[in-house]
Amino acid sequence: MTTASTTADVARTAPVRATDGASRTGTAAAYLRHVAGKLGGAAVSLFAVLVTSFFLFRIIPGDPVKAMTHGVPTSAEQLATLRRQFGLDLPMWQQFTDYCGKALTGDLGMSYQFRAPVGELIAAKLPATLLLTGVAVLLYSALGLWLGTRSAWNHGGLGDRLNTGVALTLWSVPSFWLGLLLIIVFAVGIGPVPGLFPTGGMESGAGETGFAYVLDVAHHMVLPVLTLVAVGYAQTLLVMRSSLLDEMGGDYLTTARAKGLRDDVVRRRHAVPNALLPTVTMVFINLGHVAAGSILVETVFSWPGLGGLFYQALSVPDLPLVQGLFVVFAGAMIVMNLIADLLYPLLDPRVGR
């Protein structure tokens, strides 16, 4: 009797185990197809960036060679020599193929303005941009997620109306205008408010070292970081609030409450994880902006990062430097968006199936 029961149990469980294995295999295959599709899309996007970066900035009026020699007596023969030196005398199709071939090997060309490799110029300015925008992204992502969750969970209340109103206002404000306003009020000083912070730059240049240098840099970062946080947290808050409001009518939340779970537990363990997908996209896009920084904010505060370098290159125009920065900015966005796409199926198994 026992043997017969055991045999019957094995017979009943064997198909289930086989089905479970097939299900896991199918899930893995679906995820691999999802990854392959996203990688292919990213590769196409990167190629489109190369094409766009080459042709877009050649529409800018002006002769780079004449801009480089502005104010310096230069003969026609010398101008022709410079054009030949920088490859500007070649047919457009040949310039494009040379540019793509070098870019694929990491060679972004030689800057007209600084007479230095574009890659070295970008590497020299990148740490300042990563410091400024990295701190800002971390702060406004955390603040926006927290306030957006609170506003949605208590929607219609005074706190929700206040948070939403402030967020909509700040989201509509141009970042450069807000930066100028903060400089006038907190750097220059207005009325009873004294000037508390530097008007620009990354350091005072007084030769501080160690902890004193860290404090000096942090002092210079306050206003630009505050500008970026004020504009960035508003977008994160509004997206998180909207996503969570869409989830709050779900039957699974009613079931969770019917089981006797506390409201705080229902929010943290059930509602928020399901509302995170749109916000995850935004967070990774914001991380992509870390490489680009904020061109206008860096320019307003004279921050020595990639944004200010891009502004300088655009004013010449320094085509190799502008193209290289555009590729880096767009490439960072594509990579971060790709990472978000690859994380989606792990956060929500329904995606990519």
Side-chain angles (χ1 to χ4, degrees), residues 23-41 338 341-342 345-346 349 351-353:
S23 176
R24 285 193 295 270
T25 302
T27 301
Y31 182 70
L32 290 176
R33 288 195 298 270
H34 176 77
V35 170
K38 295 302 179 181
L39 288 175
L338 173 64
D341 286 335
L342 298 182
L346 304 179
V351 178
R353 303 293 171 84

Side-chain angles (χ1 to χ4, degrees), residues 7 27 61 101 135 143 145 156 161 207 239 241 270 288-289 313 325 337:
T7 304
T27 301
V135 170
L143 185 63
L145 286 172
R161 294 198 299 271
V239 171
R241 179 182 180 275
H270 298 279
H289 279 302
L325 287 167
N337 195 46

Side-chain angles (χ1 to χ4, degrees), residues 28-213:
Y31 182 70
L32 290 176
R33 288 195 298 270
H34 176 77
V35 170
K38 295 302 179 181
L39 288 175
V44 172
S45 299
L46 286 173
F47 179 74
V49 165
L50 288 177
V51 175
T52 304
S53 67
F54 179 83
F55 290 104
L56 177 63
F57 297 108
R58 277 163 173 73
I59 303 175
I60 301 174
D63 187 343
V65 173
K66 289 184 178 180
M68 283 189 294
T69 58
H70 180 69
V72 179
T74 310
S75 65
E77 291 77 9
Q78 290 173 322
L79 291 176
T81 301
L82 286 173
R83 289 193 178 90
R84 185 166 56 255
Q85 178 182 347
F86 290 109
L88 296 175
D89 61 328
L90 298 175
M92 188 65 68
W93 67 267
Q94 189 172 349
Q95 292 184 44
F96 175 67
T97 54
D98 290 345
Y99 167 69
C100 288
K102 292 180 179 179
L104 292 176
T105 62
D107 182 3
L108 298 176
M110 185 73 68
S111 169
Y112 299 159
Q113 184 179 7
F114 299 100
R115 303 295 178 90
V118 171
E120 292 182 4
L121 293 172
I122 293 176
K125 297 291 186 179
L126 184 60
T129 291
L130 292 180
L131 176 63
L132 177 66
T133 55
V135 170
V137 167
L138 291 176
L139 289 177
Y140 70 64
S141 295
L143 185 63
L145 286 172
W146 182 67
L147 289 178
T149 301
R150 295 288 177 178
S151 294
W153 205 251
N154 302 292
H155 65 282
L158 177 61
D160 176 38
R161 294 198 299 271
L162 181 62
N163 283 330
T164 305
V166 172
L168 286 171
T169 302
L170 290 175
W171 199 7
S172 305
V173 172
S175 59
F176 72 90
W177 181 85
L178 181 60
L180 291 172
L181 187 63
L182 291 177
I183 289 176
I184 293 172
V185 176
F186 296 107
V188 178
I190 183 172
V193 181
L196 301 174
F197 301 99
T199 57
M202 183 176 174
E203 57 187 57
S204 60
E208 295 91 346
T209 58
F211 187 66
Y213 176 76

